Amino acid sequence: EEYKDFSGVEAAVNAVVRGKDITQQAEVDAMAKAIEDAIATLTYKDADYSKVDEAIAKAEALNAEEYKDFSGVEAAVNAVVRGKDITQQAEVDAMAKAIEDAIATLTYKDADYSKVDEAIAKAEALNAEEYKDFSGVEAAVNAVVRGKDITQQAEVDAMAKAIEDAITDLERVPSTSPETNDNSNYLLWITWVFMSVSVMSAIVYSRKKHGIK
C-alpha cells in the first residue's frame, strides 16, 4: 500500500519456477534478479497533503490586518515543503499542525475607541446643570464597555453614536432671570423717557399759554 505500483514485484515473484537443477542456475539467478529489479523500480506514494491544504485555506481566508501579529501563520505556511512521500507523512502532518497552531494563537487587534473617547470628552465639557435632563448622556457614557476587539468595532461605534445622540437630544434650562431683569430695565427706561417727554411738553405748552418765553 505504500507504493504507487507494486504489480511488477508481484509479477516477478509469481514468475518464480521451483525445481530447477544446477544446470539451470542461470535461470534461477535471473528470477532473483527480476524480483530485485522490480523492487528497485518501486516508487512510494505521495504523502497526503490534504490536512496541509485545509490549514492553508483556513489561513488564507483570514484577514491579516485584523490581527496583532500574523507573522507566525505566514511563517508556518511558508515552511511547507511539497513532494514528500508516504514514508514522510509524519513530517507533512507536522506542517499542517504548525499552521493550525499558529492560527489558534492569533489575537485580534483592539477595537478603535477614538470616536468613543471624543464623544465622552464632548460630554464631559458640558455643564449638566444647564440642561433639563442630563441623565441620557450619563447613561450612554456609563454604558461604554472597554476591551472590545476589531471584530466588534460596530458595537464600539454604536457606543459613540449613543453618546452623540444623547448630547444632541439635550434641552437647555430656560434662562428667565437675566432676561426678566433686562426687560424690566428696558421698560423702566422707556417709561422714564416717555414721562420726561410728557413733562417737557407740558412745560412748553404752559409757558406758551402764558406768554412766557
Side-chain angles (χ1 to χ4, degrees), residues 2-10 38 41-45:
E2 291 183 348
Y3 300 93
K4 293 180 178 179
D5 184 2
F6 201 72
S7 62
V9 175
E10 292 173 334
T41 59
L42 287 174
T43 54
Y44 286 112
K45 290 180 179 178

Side-chain angles (χ1 to χ4, degrees), residues 18 43 76 109 121 152 163 170-171 184:
R18 301 284 175 173
T43 54
K109 290 179 179 178
Q152 300 165 303
I163 299 171
L170 286 174
E171 292 183 45
S184 297

Side-chain angles (χ1 to χ4, degrees), residues 5-180:
D5 184 2
F6 201 72
S7 62
V9 175
E10 292 173 334
V13 170
N14 292 333
V16 170
V17 178
R18 301 284 175 173
K20 299 285 184 178
D21 62 39
I22 196 168
T23 63
Q24 299 168 302
Q25 188 62 50
E27 296 176 34
V28 175
D29 292 343
M31 297 176 201
K33 186 176 186 303
I35 297 171
E36 293 288 355
D37 289 348
I39 291 173
T41 59
L42 287 174
T43 54
Y44 286 112
K45 290 180 179 178
D46 296 330
D48 180 6
Y49 277 79
S50 60
K51 290 182 180 178
V52 170
D53 294 333
E54 288 171 9
I56 290 175
K58 188 184 294 186
E60 290 176 343
L62 300 174
N63 182 354
E65 298 303 315
E66 291 183 348
Y67 300 92
K68 292 180 179 179
D69 184 3
F70 201 75
S71 62
V73 176
E74 292 172 336
V77 170
N78 292 333
V80 169
V81 178
R82 299 284 176 174
K84 299 284 185 180
D85 62 46
I86 198 169
T87 66
Q88 300 165 302
Q89 187 63 50
E91 297 175 38
V92 176
D93 291 342
M95 297 175 200
K97 186 176 186 301
I99 299 171
E100 293 285 356
D101 289 348
I103 291 173
T105 59
L106 287 172
T107 54
Y108 285 114
K109 290 179 179 178
D110 297 330
D112 179 6
Y113 277 79
S114 59
K115 290 182 179 178
V116 170
D117 294 332
E118 289 172 8
I120 290 175
K122 187 185 295 185
E124 290 177 343
L126 301 174
N127 182 354
E129 300 303 320
E130 293 180 356
Y131 300 93
K132 291 181 178 180
D133 184 1
F134 203 73
S135 62
V137 176
E138 292 172 337
V141 170
N142 292 333
V144 170
V145 178
R146 299 284 176 174
K148 299 283 187 182
D149 63 47
I150 197 169
T151 66
Q152 300 165 303
Q153 187 63 51
E155 296 175 36
V156 176
D157 292 342
M159 296 175 201
K161 186 175 185 300
I163 299 171
E164 294 286 356
D165 289 347
I167 291 173
T168 300
D169 292 340
L170 286 174
E171 292 183 45
R172 286 185 176 276
V173 174
S175 301
T176 55
S177 297
E179 291 177 4
T180 301

